[in-house]
Amino acid sequence: MKTQVAIIGSGPAGMLLSELLSRHGIESLVLERQSRAHVASRIRAGVLEATTVEVLRENGLAERMDREGHPHDGMRIVWAGRDTFFIDTQRFLGKRFMTYGQTQVQEDLYAAADRRGQTIFDESSEVVLHGLESNAPHVSFVRGGEGHRVDCEFVVGCDGFHGVARRSIPASVLREFEKVYPFGWLGVMARVKPLPDVTYANHPRGFALASARSEKLSRFYIQVPLDHKVEDWPDERFWPEFKARFPKDLAEQIDEAPTIEKSVAPLRSYVAEPMRHGRLFLAGDAAHIVPPTGAKGLNLAVSDVFYLSRALGAFYKTGSETLIDGYSAMALRRVWSSVRTSWYLTNLLHRFPTASEFDQRAQEYELDYLKSSQHAQAALAEQYAGLPFEPA
Ligand code: APR
Ligand code: PHB
């Protein structure tokens, strides 16, 4: 088989990349380890930055999002029942964000791929990347019990944190930066009406977050110790604990219902540099992981793919290699900005088991400063809303 760009992974990064490349007239082929049903069943975060919304709208991928998604003027921070303040991205920046589930984004991307007849080989195993430092790389894989080969001009690793692409970059070239947090998040989905705002709670019992999927479907999270599992949190334990972490007036607005999904995930920050080696590019979770506190994961996948599709579009149109040579540095500027914001919000809002009294006081006075300073709130609003894309 031959194609111009071989994409590894059919998550949001891989599927959006195939869409944007096709709009540049570039042919691609997607190789995915899991079944389509497995990929489509994943439940992830649900906050779309303004730039992500623009990319989806500009590429004909936003019809359902605009119908079912919910725009927000900002997000609310509530603090141990003491204070509450609204980080108003609309007032400070004229920018809103959208709550719309990644599950739905994935469905919309698959539907668009079907409409344009995109080649996706799911349930492909033993994917191996070859000749990345040549001008004629190829990918071998096994599917249906048979070995296959795809000759291509570029390979893009959209295969997530546990994928094969990043591991194909020589250890002598790859630089990795990691920070592991001493807690995880328990996330649930419940058919109850959401709070009016995406609301982050800092409480002595631990962090909590109330978000939305629709008028009748909420996504709730609480910070839990690293060794906790879903089984440790039956509904009868989850609901009182979740509500205890919010001020009374908000807790009273939270209805209870049987949870329809429950999962525990550890928090980490991770960045791999560079995001390009020879004819291989990395995009999305394959190159970076952020703690979900800043809701940046999906949005970074979108910004990587926006930059890379623009760069490959320029290469195929004019032969210029300027943008593909500049891709890694440009993508990493936005990655590190989001990694820092997610690290800041994680430190601001969680209870660290090893925090000293000094650490706790410093966190409380950071919240006091945010509460009292419009400048501090404007700076956080700018980072939470997401920075604009850099021009080519
Ligand atoms: N071969 C083929 N496919 C693979 C391989 C492999 N060796 N390894 C992983 N994959 C597939 C996974 O099955 C998955 O479908 O690559 C895809 C990677 O998708 P994601 O992990 O969703 O990563 P990405 O597309 O970058 O999207 C990032 O997803 O996980 C969330 O929080 C994250 O919101 C962020 C978004
Ligand atoms: C979500 O809606 O799932 C969500 C919202 C905000 C976050 C993380 C997740 O910071």
Side-chain angles (χ1 to χ4, degrees), residues 7-15 30-35 38-40 42-46 102 106 110 121 124-128 141 157-165 167 283-290 292 295-302 304-305:
I7 299 172
I8 318 299
S10 70
M15 293 314 296
V30 181
L31 294 178
E32 164 59 46
R33 175 164 63 187
Q34 303 289 356
S35 70
H38 180 95
V39 175
R42 290 182 184 132
I43 291 184
R44 296 279 198 274
Q102 181 175 311
Q106 183 76 48
Y110 267 143
F121 289 135
S124 300
S125 58
E126 298 172 48
V127 170
V128 179
F141 65 99
C158 297
D159 48 349
F161 184 69
H162 302 289
V164 64
R167 287 185 278 115
D285 274 18
H288 40 73
I289 295 287
V290 282
K296 295 294 181 189
L298 175 59
N299 295 294
L300 279 179
V302 171
D304 292 347
V305 163

CSV table of all heavy atoms in Angstrom, one decimal, residues 7-15 30-35 38-40 42-46 102 106 110 121 124-128 141 157-165 167 283-290 292 295-302 304-305, ligand 1:
chain,number,residue,atom,x,y,z
A,7,ILE,N,-0.9,7.8,9.5
A,7,ILE,CA,-1.2,8.3,10.9
A,7,ILE,C,-1.4,7.1,11.8
A,7,ILE,O,-2.2,6.2,11.5
A,7,ILE,CB,-2.5,9.1,10.8
A,7,ILE,CG1,-2.4,10.3,9.9
A,7,ILE,CG2,-3.0,9.5,12.2
A,7,ILE,CD1,-3.7,11.1,9.6
A,8,ILE,N,-0.7,7.1,12.9
A,8,ILE,CA,-0.9,6.0,13.9
A,8,ILE,C,-1.8,6.5,15.0
A,8,ILE,O,-1.5,7.5,15.7
A,8,ILE,CB,0.5,5.6,14.5
A,8,ILE,CG1,1.6,5.6,13.5
A,8,ILE,CG2,0.4,4.2,15.2
A,8,ILE,CD1,1.4,4.6,12.4
A,9,GLY,N,-2.9,5.8,15.1
A,9,GLY,CA,-3.9,6.2,16.2
A,9,GLY,C,-5.1,6.9,15.6
A,9,GLY,O,-5.0,7.9,14.9
A,10,SER,N,-6.3,6.4,16.0
A,10,SER,CA,-7.5,7.1,15.5
A,10,SER,C,-8.3,7.8,16.7
A,10,SER,O,-9.5,7.8,16.7
A,10,SER,CB,-8.5,6.0,14.9
A,10,SER,OG,-9.0,5.2,15.9
A,11,GLY,N,-7.6,8.3,17.7
A,11,GLY,CA,-8.2,9.1,18.7
A,11,GLY,C,-8.5,10.5,18.1
A,11,GLY,O,-8.4,10.7,16.9
A,12,PRO,N,-8.8,11.5,18.9
A,12,PRO,CA,-9.1,12.8,18.4
A,12,PRO,C,-7.9,13.4,17.6
A,12,PRO,O,-8.2,14.0,16.5
A,12,PRO,CB,-9.3,13.7,19.7
A,12,PRO,CG,-9.6,12.7,20.8
A,12,PRO,CD,-8.9,11.4,20.4
A,13,ALA,N,-6.7,13.2,18.0
A,13,ALA,CA,-5.6,13.8,17.2
A,13,ALA,C,-5.5,13.2,15.8
A,13,ALA,O,-5.5,13.9,14.8
A,13,ALA,CB,-4.2,13.6,17.9
A,14,GLY,N,-5.5,11.8,15.8
A,14,GLY,CA,-5.4,11.1,14.5
A,14,GLY,C,-6.5,11.4,13.5
A,14,GLY,O,-6.3,11.7,12.4
A,15,MET,N,-7.8,11.4,14.1
A,15,MET,CA,-8.9,11.6,13.2
A,15,MET,C,-9.0,13.1,12.8
A,15,MET,O,-9.4,13.3,11.6
A,15,MET,CB,-10.2,11.2,13.9
A,15,MET,CG,-10.3,9.7,14.2
A,15,MET,SD,-9.9,8.7,12.7
A,15,MET,CE,-11.2,9.2,11.6
A,30,VAL,N,-5.1,5.7,8.3
A,30,VAL,CA,-5.0,5.7,9.8
A,30,VAL,C,-4.9,4.2,10.3
A,30,VAL,O,-5.7,3.4,9.8
A,30,VAL,CB,-6.3,6.3,10.4
A,30,VAL,CG1,-6.2,6.3,12.0
A,30,VAL,CG2,-6.4,7.8,9.9
A,31,LEU,N,-3.9,4.0,11.1
A,31,LEU,CA,-3.7,2.6,11.7
A,31,LEU,C,-4.1,2.7,13.2
A,31,LEU,O,-3.5,3.5,13.9
A,31,LEU,CB,-2.3,2.2,11.6
A,31,LEU,CG,-1.8,1.9,10.2
A,31,LEU,CD1,-0.3,1.5,10.2
A,31,LEU,CD2,-2.6,0.8,9.5
A,32,GLU,N,-5.0,1.9,13.6
A,32,GLU,CA,-5.5,2.0,15.0
A,32,GLU,C,-5.5,0.6,15.7
A,32,GLU,O,-5.9,-0.4,15.0
A,32,GLU,CB,-7.0,2.5,15.1
A,32,GLU,CG,-7.7,2.3,16.4
A,32,GLU,CD,-7.0,2.9,17.6
A,32,GLU,OE1,-6.6,4.1,17.5
A,32,GLU,OE2,-6.9,2.2,18.6
A,33,ARG,N,-4.9,0.5,16.9
A,33,ARG,CA,-4.8,-0.8,17.6
A,33,ARG,C,-6.1,-1.4,18.0
A,33,ARG,O,-6.4,-2.6,17.9
A,33,ARG,CB,-3.9,-0.6,18.8
A,33,ARG,CG,-3.7,-1.8,19.6
A,33,ARG,CD,-2.5,-1.7,20.6
A,33,ARG,NE,-2.7,-0.6,21.5
A,33,ARG,CZ,-1.7,-0.2,22.4
A,33,ARG,NH1,-0.5,-0.7,22.3
A,33,ARG,NH2,-1.9,0.8,23.2
A,34,GLN,N,-7.0,-0.5,18.5
A,34,GLN,CA,-8.3,-1.0,19.1
A,34,GLN,C,-9.4,-1.1,18.0
A,34,GLN,O,-9.2,-0.6,16.9
A,34,GLN,CB,-8.7,0.0,20.2
A,34,GLN,CG,-7.7,0.2,21.3
A,34,GLN,CD,-7.6,-1.0,22.2
A,34,GLN,OE1,-8.3,-2.0,22.0
A,34,GLN,NE2,-6.6,-1.0,23.2
A,35,SER,N,-10.5,-1.6,18.5
A,35,SER,CA,-11.7,-1.6,17.6
A,35,SER,C,-12.3,-0.2,17.6
A,35,SER,O,-12.1,0.5,18.5
A,35,SER,CB,-12.7,-2.6,18.1
A,35,SER,OG,-13.3,-2.1,19.3
A,38,HIS,N,-14.4,0.3,20.6
A,38,HIS,CA,-13.6,0.6,21.9
A,38,HIS,C,-13.2,2.1,21.9
A,38,HIS,O,-13.3,2.8,22.9
A,38,HIS,CB,-12.3,-0.3,21.9
A,38,HIS,CG,-11.4,-0.1,23.1
A,38,HIS,ND1,-11.5,-0.8,24.2
A,38,HIS,CD2,-10.5,0.9,23.3
A,38,HIS,CE1,-10.6,-0.4,25.1
A,38,HIS,NE2,-10.0,0.7,24.6
A,39,VAL,N,-12.7,2.6,20.8
A,39,VAL,CA,-12.2,4.0,20.7
A,39,VAL,C,-13.4,4.9,21.0
A,39,VAL,O,-13.3,5.8,21.8
A,39,VAL,CB,-11.6,4.3,19.3
A,39,VAL,CG1,-11.3,5.8,19.2
A,39,VAL,CG2,-10.4,3.5,19.1
A,40,ALA,N,-14.6,4.6,20.4
A,40,ALA,CA,-15.7,5.5,20.5
A,40,ALA,C,-16.3,5.4,21.9
A,40,ALA,O,-17.1,6.3,22.3
A,40,ALA,CB,-16.8,5.0,19.5
A,42,ARG,N,-14.7,5.6,24.8
A,42,ARG,CA,-13.9,6.2,25.8
A,42,ARG,C,-14.6,7.5,26.3
A,42,ARG,O,-15.1,8.2,25.5
A,42,ARG,CB,-12.5,6.6,25.2
A,42,ARG,CG,-11.6,5.4,25.0
A,42,ARG,CD,-10.3,5.8,24.5
A,42,ARG,NE,-9.5,4.7,24.1
A,42,ARG,CZ,-8.8,4.6,22.9
A,42,ARG,NH1,-8.9,5.6,22.1
A,42,ARG,NH2,-8.1,3.6,22.7
A,43,ILE,N,-14.5,7.6,27.7
A,43,ILE,CA,-15.1,8.9,28.2
A,43,ILE,C,-13.9,9.7,28.8
A,43,ILE,O,-13.1,9.2,29.6
A,43,ILE,CB,-16.1,8.5,29.4
A,43,ILE,CG1,-17.3,7.9,28.7
A,43,ILE,CG2,-16.5,9.8,30.2
A,43,ILE,CD1,-18.4,7.6,29.7
A,44,ARG,N,-13.8,10.9,28.3
A,44,ARG,CA,-12.7,11.8,28.6
A,44,ARG,C,-13.2,13.2,29.0
A,44,ARG,O,-14.4,13.3,29.4
A,44,ARG,CB,-11.7,11.9,27.4
A,44,ARG,CG,-11.0,10.6,27.0
A,44,ARG,CD,-9.9,10.3,27.9
A,44,ARG,NE,-9.0,9.3,27.3
A,44,ARG,CZ,-9.1,8.0,27.4
A,44,ARG,NH1,-10.2,7.5,28.0
A,44,ARG,NH2,-8.2,7.2,26.8
A,45,ALA,N,-12.4,14.2,28.9
A,45,ALA,CA,-12.8,15.5,29.4
A,45,ALA,C,-13.8,16.1,28.4
A,45,ALA,O,-14.2,15.5,27.5
A,45,ALA,CB,-11.5,16.4,29.5
A,46,GLY,N,-14.1,17.4,28.7
A,46,GLY,CA,-15.2,18.0,27.9
A,46,GLY,C,-15.2,19.5,27.8
A,46,GLY,O,-16.3,20.1,27.7
A,102,GLN,N,-15.6,14.8,24.8
A,102,GLN,CA,-14.6,14.3,23.8
A,102,GLN,C,-15.2,13.1,23.1
A,102,GLN,O,-14.9,12.8,22.0
A,102,GLN,CB,-13.3,13.9,24.5
A,102,GLN,CG,-12.3,13.4,23.5
A,102,GLN,CD,-10.9,13.2,24.2
A,102,GLN,OE1,-10.4,14.0,24.9
A,102,GLN,NE2,-10.4,12.0,23.9
A,106,GLN,N,-15.2,12.7,19.2
A,106,GLN,CA,-14.7,11.5,18.5
A,106,GLN,C,-15.8,10.9,17.5
A,106,GLN,O,-15.5,10.6,16.4
A,106,GLN,CB,-14.4,10.4,19.5
A,106,GLN,CG,-13.8,9.1,19.0
A,106,GLN,CD,-12.3,9.3,18.5
A,106,GLN,OE1,-11.5,9.8,19.3
A,106,GLN,NE2,-12.0,8.8,17.3
A,110,TYR,N,-15.4,10.6,13.5
A,110,TYR,CA,-15.6,9.3,12.8
A,110,TYR,C,-16.6,9.5,11.6
A,110,TYR,O,-16.4,9.1,10.5
A,110,TYR,CB,-16.0,8.2,13.7
A,110,TYR,CG,-15.0,7.4,14.3
A,110,TYR,CD1,-15.0,7.0,15.7
A,110,TYR,CD2,-13.8,7.0,13.6
A,110,TYR,CE1,-14.1,6.2,16.2
A,110,TYR,CE2,-12.8,6.2,14.2
A,110,TYR,CZ,-13.0,5.8,15.5
A,110,TYR,OH,-12.0,5.0,16.0
A,121,PHE,N,-7.6,1.5,9.3
A,121,PHE,CA,-7.4,0.1,9.6
A,121,PHE,C,-7.4,-0.1,11.1
A,121,PHE,O,-6.3,0.1,11.7
A,121,PHE,CB,-6.1,-0.4,9.0
A,121,PHE,CG,-6.1,-0.5,7.5
A,121,PHE,CD1,-5.0,0.0,6.7
A,121,PHE,CD2,-7.2,-1.0,6.8
A,121,PHE,CE1,-5.0,-0.1,5.3
A,121,PHE,CE2,-7.2,-1.1,5.4
A,121,PHE,CZ,-6.1,-0.6,4.7
A,124,SER,N,-5.4,-3.1,14.2
A,124,SER,CA,-4.1,-3.3,13.6
A,124,SER,C,-3.1,-3.5,14.7
A,124,SER,O,-3.0,-2.7,15.6
A,124,SER,CB,-3.6,-2.1,12.7
A,124,SER,OG,-4.6,-1.9,11.7
A,125,SER,N,-2.3,-4.6,14.7
A,125,SER,CA,-1.3,-4.8,15.8
A,125,SER,C,0.1,-4.8,15.2
A,125,SER,O,0.3,-4.7,14.0
A,125,SER,CB,-1.6,-6.1,16.5
A,125,SER,OG,-1.6,-7.1,15.5
A,126,GLU,N,1.0,-4.8,16.1
A,126,GLU,CA,2.5,-4.9,15.8
A,126,GLU,C,2.9,-3.8,14.8
A,126,GLU,O,3.6,-4.1,13.8
A,126,GLU,CB,2.8,-6.3,15.3
A,126,GLU,CG,2.6,-7.4,16.3
A,126,GLU,CD,2.7,-8.8,15.7
A,126,GLU,OE1,3.8,-9.0,15.1
A,126,GLU,OE2,1.8,-9.6,15.9
A,127,VAL,N,2.4,-2.6,15.0
A,127,VAL,CA,2.8,-1.5,14.2
A,127,VAL,C,4.3,-1.2,14.4
A,127,VAL,O,4.7,-1.0,15.6
A,127,VAL,CB,1.9,-0.2,14.5
A,127,VAL,CG1,2.5,1.0,13.8
A,127,VAL,CG2,0.5,-0.5,14.1
A,128,VAL,N,5.1,-1.1,13.3
A,128,VAL,CA,6.5,-0.8,13.5
A,128,VAL,C,6.8,0.3,12.4
A,128,VAL,O,6.4,0.2,11.3
A,128,VAL,CB,7.4,-2.0,13.3
A,128,VAL,CG1,8.9,-1.7,13.4
A,128,VAL,CG2,7.0,-3.1,14.3
A,141,PHE,N,2.6,-3.6,9.8
A,141,PHE,CA,1.6,-3.9,10.8
A,141,PHE,C,0.9,-5.2,10.5
A,141,PHE,O,1.1,-5.8,9.4
A,141,PHE,CB,0.5,-2.8,11.0
A,141,PHE,CG,-0.3,-2.6,9.8
A,141,PHE,CD1,-1.6,-3.1,9.7
A,141,PHE,CD2,0.1,-1.9,8.7
A,141,PHE,CE1,-2.5,-2.9,8.6
A,141,PHE,CE2,-0.7,-1.7,7.5
A,141,PHE,CZ,-2.0,-2.2,7.5
A,157,GLY,N,2.7,10.2,14.6
A,157,GLY,CA,2.3,9.4,15.8
A,157,GLY,C,1.3,10.2,16.6
A,157,GLY,O,1.5,11.2,17.3
A,158,CYS,N,0.0,9.7,16.4
A,158,CYS,CA,-1.1,10.2,17.2
A,158,CYS,C,-1.6,9.1,18.1
A,158,CYS,O,-2.8,8.9,18.3
A,158,CYS,CB,-2.3,10.6,16.2
A,158,CYS,SG,-1.8,12.0,15.1
A,159,ASP,N,-0.6,8.3,18.6
A,159,ASP,CA,-1.0,7.0,19.2
A,159,ASP,C,-0.9,7.1,20.8
A,159,ASP,O,-0.7,6.1,21.4
A,159,ASP,CB,-0.1,5.9,18.7
A,159,ASP,CG,1.4,6.3,18.7
A,159,ASP,OD1,1.8,7.5,18.9
A,159,ASP,OD2,2.2,5.4,18.5
A,160,GLY,N,-1.0,8.3,21.3
A,160,GLY,CA,-1.2,8.5,22.7
A,160,GLY,C,0.0,8.2,23.5
A,160,GLY,O,1.1,7.8,23.0
A,161,PHE,N,-0.1,8.2,24.9
A,161,PHE,CA,1.0,8.1,25.8
A,161,PHE,C,1.7,6.8,25.7
A,161,PHE,O,2.9,6.6,25.8
A,161,PHE,CB,0.6,8.4,27.2
A,161,PHE,CG,1.8,8.4,28.2
A,161,PHE,CD1,2.7,9.5,28.1
A,161,PHE,CD2,1.9,7.4,29.1
A,161,PHE,CE1,3.8,9.5,29.0
A,161,PHE,CE2,3.0,7.4,30.0
A,161,PHE,CZ,3.9,8.5,29.9
A,162,HIS,N,0.9,5.7,25.4
A,162,HIS,CA,1.4,4.4,25.4
A,162,HIS,C,1.7,3.8,24.0
A,162,HIS,O,1.9,2.6,23.8
A,162,HIS,CB,0.4,3.4,26.1
A,162,HIS,CG,0.2,3.9,27.6
A,162,HIS,ND1,1.1,3.8,28.6
A,162,HIS,CD2,-0.9,4.5,28.1
A,162,HIS,CE1,0.5,4.2,29.7
A,162,HIS,NE2,-0.7,4.7,29.5
A,163,GLY,N,1.8,4.8,23.1
A,163,GLY,CA,1.9,4.4,21.7
A,163,GLY,C,3.3,3.9,21.3
A,163,GLY,O,4.3,4.0,22.1
A,164,VAL,N,3.5,3.6,20.0
A,164,VAL,CA,4.8,3.1,19.5
A,164,VAL,C,5.7,4.3,18.9
A,164,VAL,O,6.9,4.2,18.9
A,164,VAL,CB,4.6,2.0,18.4
A,164,VAL,CG1,3.8,2.7,17.2
A,164,VAL,CG2,5.8,1.4,18.0
A,165,ALA,N,5.0,5.4,18.5
A,165,ALA,CA,5.8,6.4,17.7
A,165,ALA,C,6.8,7.1,18.6
A,165,ALA,O,8.0,7.1,18.1
A,165,ALA,CB,4.8,7.4,17.2
A,167,ARG,N,8.4,6.1,21.0
A,167,ARG,CA,9.5,5.1,21.4
A,167,ARG,C,10.3,4.8,20.1
A,167,ARG,O,11.3,4.1,20.2
A,167,ARG,CB,8.8,3.8,21.9
A,167,ARG,CG,8.3,4.1,23.4
A,167,ARG,CD,7.8,2.8,24.1
A,167,ARG,NE,6.4,2.5,23.7
A,167,ARG,CZ,6.1,1.4,23.0
A,167,ARG,NH1,7.0,0.5,22.6
A,167,ARG,NH2,4.8,1.2,22.6
A,283,ALA,N,2.0,14.1,17.7
A,283,ALA,CA,0.9,15.1,18.0
A,283,ALA,C,0.0,14.5,19.1
A,283,ALA,O,-0.2,13.3,19.1
A,283,ALA,CB,0.1,15.3,16.7
A,284,GLY,N,-0.5,15.4,20.0
A,284,GLY,CA,-1.4,14.9,21.0
A,284,GLY,C,-0.7,14.2,22.2
A,284,GLY,O,0.5,14.4,22.4
A,285,ASP,N,-1.4,13.3,22.8
A,285,ASP,CA,-0.9,12.6,24.0
A,285,ASP,C,0.4,11.8,23.7
A,285,ASP,O,1.1,11.4,24.6
A,285,ASP,CB,-2.0,11.6,24.5
A,285,ASP,CG,-2.9,12.3,25.5
A,285,ASP,OD1,-3.0,13.6,25.5
A,285,ASP,OD2,-3.6,11.6,26.2
A,286,ALA,N,0.6,11.5,22.4
A,286,ALA,CA,1.9,10.8,22.1
A,286,ALA,C,3.1,11.6,22.5
A,286,ALA,O,4.2,11.1,22.8
A,286,ALA,CB,2.0,10.6,20.6
A,287,ALA,N,2.9,13.0,22.6
A,287,ALA,CA,4.0,13.9,22.9
A,287,ALA,C,3.9,14.5,24.3
A,287,ALA,O,4.9,15.0,24.8
A,287,ALA,CB,4.1,15.0,21.9
A,288,HIS,N,2.7,14.6,24.8
A,288,HIS,CA,2.5,15.3,26.1
A,288,HIS,C,1.3,14.9,26.8
A,288,HIS,O,0.3,14.5,26.2
A,288,HIS,CB,2.5,16.8,25.8
A,288,HIS,CG,1.7,17.2,24.6
A,288,HIS,ND1,0.3,17.1,24.6
A,288,HIS,CD2,2.0,17.6,23.4
A,288,HIS,CE1,-0.1,17.4,23.4
A,288,HIS,NE2,0.9,17.8,22.6
A,289,ILE,N,1.4,14.9,28.2
A,289,ILE,CA,0.2,14.6,29.0
A,289,ILE,C,0.1,15.8,30.0
A,289,ILE,O,1.1,16.3,30.5
A,289,ILE,CB,0.5,13.3,29.8
A,289,ILE,CG1,0.5,12.1,28.9
A,289,ILE,CG2,-0.7,13.1,30.8
A,289,ILE,CD1,-0.8,11.7,28.2
A,290,VAL,N,-1.1,16.2,30.2
A,290,VAL,CA,-1.3,17.3,31.3
A,290,VAL,C,-2.3,16.7,32.3
A,290,VAL,O,-3.2,15.9,32.0
A,290,VAL,CB,-1.9,18.6,30.6
A,290,VAL,CG1,-0.8,19.4,30.0
A,290,VAL,CG2,-3.0,18.3,29.7
A,292,PRO,N,-5.7,16.8,34.2
A,292,PRO,CA,-7.0,17.3,33.7
A,292,PRO,C,-7.5,18.6,34.3
A,292,PRO,O,-8.4,19.2,33.9
A,292,PRO,CB,-8.0,16.2,33.9
A,292,PRO,CG,-7.4,15.4,35.1
A,292,PRO,CD,-5.9,15.6,34.9
A,295,ALA,N,-8.0,21.2,31.8
A,295,ALA,CA,-8.9,20.8,30.7
A,295,ALA,C,-8.1,21.1,29.4
A,295,ALA,O,-8.7,21.5,28.4
A,295,ALA,CB,-10.2,21.5,30.7
A,296,LYS,N,-6.8,20.8,29.3
A,296,LYS,CA,-6.0,21.1,28.2
A,296,LYS,C,-5.7,20.0,27.2
A,296,LYS,O,-5.3,20.2,26.1
A,296,LYS,CB,-4.6,21.7,28.7
A,296,LYS,CG,-4.8,23.0,29.4
A,296,LYS,CD,-5.2,24.1,28.5
A,296,LYS,CE,-5.3,25.4,29.3
A,296,LYS,NZ,-6.0,26.5,28.5
A,297,GLY,N,-5.9,18.7,27.7
A,297,GLY,CA,-5.5,17.6,26.9
A,297,GLY,C,-6.0,17.6,25.5
A,297,GLY,O,-5.2,17.6,24.5
A,298,LEU,N,-7.3,17.6,25.3
A,298,LEU,CA,-7.9,17.6,24.0
A,298,LEU,C,-7.5,18.8,23.2
A,298,LEU,O,-7.1,18.8,22.0
A,298,LEU,CB,-9.4,17.5,24.1
A,298,LEU,CG,-10.2,17.5,22.8
A,298,LEU,CD1,-9.7,16.4,21.8
A,298,LEU,CD2,-11.7,17.4,23.1
A,299,ASN,N,-7.4,20.0,23.9
A,299,ASN,CA,-7.1,21.2,23.2
A,299,ASN,C,-5.7,21.3,22.7
A,299,ASN,O,-5.4,21.8,21.6
A,299,ASN,CB,-7.4,22.4,24.1
A,299,ASN,CG,-8.9,22.5,24.5
A,299,ASN,OD1,-9.7,22.7,23.6
A,299,ASN,ND2,-9.3,22.2,25.7
A,300,LEU,N,-4.8,20.6,23.4
A,300,LEU,CA,-3.4,20.6,22.9
A,300,LEU,C,-3.3,19.6,21.7
A,300,LEU,O,-2.6,19.9,20.7
A,300,LEU,CB,-2.5,20.1,24.0
A,300,LEU,CG,-2.0,21.1,25.0
A,300,LEU,CD1,-1.1,20.5,26.1
A,300,LEU,CD2,-1.3,22.3,24.3
A,301,ALA,N,-4.1,18.5,21.7
A,301,ALA,CA,-4.1,17.7,20.5
A,301,ALA,C,-4.5,18.4,19.3
A,301,ALA,O,-4.0,18.3,18.2
A,301,ALA,CB,-5.0,16.5,20.8
A,302,VAL,N,-5.6,19.3,19.5
A,302,VAL,CA,-6.1,20.1,18.4
A,302,VAL,C,-5.1,21.1,17.9
A,302,VAL,O,-4.8,21.3,16.7
A,302,VAL,CB,-7.4,20.8,18.8
A,302,VAL,CG1,-7.9,21.8,17.7
A,302,VAL,CG2,-8.5,19.7,19.0
A,304,ASP,N,-1.7,21.0,18.2
A,304,ASP,CA,-0.7,20.3,17.5
A,304,ASP,C,-1.1,20.0,16.0
A,304,ASP,O,-0.4,20.2,15.0
A,304,ASP,CB,-0.4,18.9,18.1
A,304,ASP,CG,0.3,19.0,19.5
A,304,ASP,OD1,0.7,20.1,19.9
A,304,ASP,OD2,0.3,18.0,20.2
A,305,VAL,N,-2.3,19.4,15.9
A,305,VAL,CA,-2.8,19.0,14.6
A,305,VAL,C,-3.0,20.2,13.7
A,305,VAL,O,-2.8,20.1,12.5
A,305,VAL,CB,-4.1,18.1,14.8
A,305,VAL,CG1,-4.9,18.0,13.5
A,305,VAL,CG2,-3.7,16.8,15.4
B,1,APR,N1,-0.7,1.2,17.1
B,1,APR,C1,-1.9,1.7,16.7
B,1,APR,N2,-2.7,2.5,17.5
B,1,APR,C2,-2.3,2.8,18.8
B,1,APR,C3,-1.1,2.3,19.3
B,1,APR,C4,-0.3,1.4,18.4
B,1,APR,N3,0.9,0.9,18.8
B,1,APR,N4,-0.9,2.7,20.6
B,1,APR,C5,-2.0,3.4,20.8
B,1,APR,N5,-2.8,3.5,19.8
B,1,APR,C6,-4.1,4.2,19.6
B,1,APR,C7,-5.0,4.1,20.9
B,1,APR,O1,-5.8,2.9,20.9
B,1,APR,C8,-5.8,5.4,20.8
B,1,APR,O2,-7.1,5.1,20.1
B,1,APR,O3,-3.8,5.6,19.5
B,1,APR,C9,-5.0,6.3,20.0
B,1,APR,C10,-4.5,7.5,20.8
B,1,APR,O4,-5.6,8.3,21.2
B,1,APR,P1,-5.6,9.2,22.5
B,1,APR,O5,-4.9,8.4,23.6
B,1,APR,O6,-7.0,9.6,22.8
B,1,APR,O7,-4.7,10.4,22.2
B,1,APR,P2,-5.0,11.7,21.3
B,1,APR,O8,-5.6,11.4,20.0
B,1,APR,O9,-3.7,12.4,21.3
B,1,APR,O10,-6.1,12.6,22.1
B,1,APR,C11,-5.7,13.2,23.3
B,1,APR,O11,-7.4,12.0,24.4
B,1,APR,O12,-6.7,10.6,26.1
B,1,APR,C12,-7.3,11.8,25.9
B,1,APR,O13,-6.8,13.3,27.7
B,1,APR,C13,-6.5,13.0,26.4
B,1,APR,O14,-8.0,14.6,25.8
B,1,APR,C14,-6.8,14.1,25.4
B,1,APR,C15,-6.9,13.4,24.1
